[in-house]
Amino acid sequence: FKDVYIHALVRDKDGQKMSKTKGNVIDPLVMVDKYGADAFRFALAAFAAQGRDIRLSEDRIESYRNFVNKIWNASRFLFMNMGDTIPKIDEASLRDEDKWILTKLDAMTAAVAKSIESYNFNEAAAELYQFFWMNFCDWYVELIKERLFKDDGKEAALATAGYVLEKALITMHPFMPFVTEHIWQALTGNDLAGGDSIMCCAYPAQEYAFHREAESMDEVIELIGLI
């Protein structure tokens, strides 16, 4: 092995070492059955800060099960509007919110790659969580809903959303292998039994950077937040 990663000790929520006599043991098999392997795996990564023991609780695992549900529901909403194929991105038809989320995607994939290479898995998990839940779901998907229902700029919105979803799934795959594989298969139309796998995809390259539009959107979002 070129590298060996030794993770921190996993303790209970109060920082106590887990033991059967104390009754504070969290059984990973029980957690996987209850909340799913992806949620449990992501929780461990999210709290695996270098030089610090992991304080794990069932509530924290449950919160990441909610994140898995968020990914699933956002994907299902987009599938309902996409039809059989995802339109290709036409830069000339992109609006400011489209350019904003594409720029955020590029920044996120670069930050996650840097964190993984330096073994800061908690920072990578935080970047993924912030991007998908906050930027993509809470802002971008909400911003394009009117376009989807009124057909005004619908194709550009779907092209952007489909592209961002696919690249986000690929970036999240090492942390959430099962749900990302399942959604990616549905998104790309591959047959899991005989088609390609998301794990064979190249890591997303930085392709779009619309800094002026992204900064303008950040100001709008900050203003809305202040209000």
Side-chain angles (χ1 to χ4, degrees):
F1 297 97
K2 293 182 179 179
D3 302 286
V4 177
Y5 181 83
I6 303 174
H7 69 74
L9 183 66
V10 181
R11 299 179 179 270
D12 70 7
K13 62 181 179 180
D14 299 317
Q16 299 296 314
K17 187 176 180 180
M18 293 186 189
S19 69
K20 291 182 180 179
T21 55
K22 290 182 180 179
N24 63 346
V25 173
I26 295 178
D27 189 329
L29 296 179
V30 173
M31 294 299 101
V32 168
D33 287 340
K34 192 171 183 180
Y35 300 110
D38 282 333
F40 187 58
R41 182 186 179 101
F42 197 88
L44 289 173
F47 294 107
Q50 292 183 9
R52 189 179 70 199
D53 288 347
I54 299 171
R55 292 194 178 192
L56 193 64
S57 69
E58 190 169 338
D59 290 342
R60 287 179 163 180
I61 301 168
E62 183 179 13
S63 71
Y64 288 113
R65 191 271 308 274
N66 297 337
F67 181 43
V68 176
N69 289 341
K70 190 78 170 180
I71 297 168
W72 181 268
N73 290 333
S75 302
R76 185 173 60 177
F77 171 75
L78 293 175
F79 289 160
M80 288 168 53
N81 291 277
M82 278 181 184
D84 296 331
T85 58
I86 305 172
K88 297 294 183 183
I89 289 180
D90 176 15
E91 290 192 32
S93 62
L94 295 178
R95 298 187 181 181
D96 282 358
E97 61 264 30
D98 304 325
K99 295 178 180 180
W100 172 77
I101 195 64
L102 289 169
T103 306
K104 290 292 185 184
L105 173 70
D106 273 12
M108 181 273 291
T109 56
V112 170
K114 182 178 179 180
S115 295
I116 291 176
E117 288 167 1
S118 60
Y119 304 102
N120 291 306
F121 301 121
N122 62 310
E123 294 179 8
E127 289 282 350
L128 289 165
Y129 186 93
Q130 169 70 28
F131 173 80
F132 202 93
W133 192 308
M134 308 299 177
N135 294 334
F136 187 62
C137 294
D138 284 359
W139 284 105
Y140 183 69
V141 172
E142 294 300 321
L143 286 168
I144 65 172
K145 280 184 177 178
E146 185 176 3
R147 293 163 64 184
L148 299 182
F149 297 145
K150 292 186 176 181
D151 292 332
D152 182 16
K154 180 177 180 178
E155 186 166 327
L158 287 177
T160 303
Y163 175 87
V164 172
L165 176 60
E166 182 181 10
K167 301 305 181 184
L169 290 172
I170 293 170
T171 311
M172 284 191 288
H173 180 67
F175 297 86
M176 293 185 171
F178 299 106
V179 70
T180 53
E181 178 77 67
H182 187 85
I183 297 172
W184 184 83
Q185 294 291 339
L187 181 68
T188 59
N190 286 322
D191 177 13
L192 185 59
D196 294 329
S197 168
I198 190 174
M199 71 178 69
C200 298
C201 295
Y203 192 83
Q206 279 64 59
E207 296 184 51
Y208 297 99
F210 304 97
H211 296 297
R212 180 176 60 81
E213 292 86 348
E215 289 174 1
S216 297
M217 281 299 302
D218 281 336
E219 291 176 359
V220 172
I221 289 170
E222 182 181 4
L223 177 60
I224 294 171
L226 290 171
I227 294 172

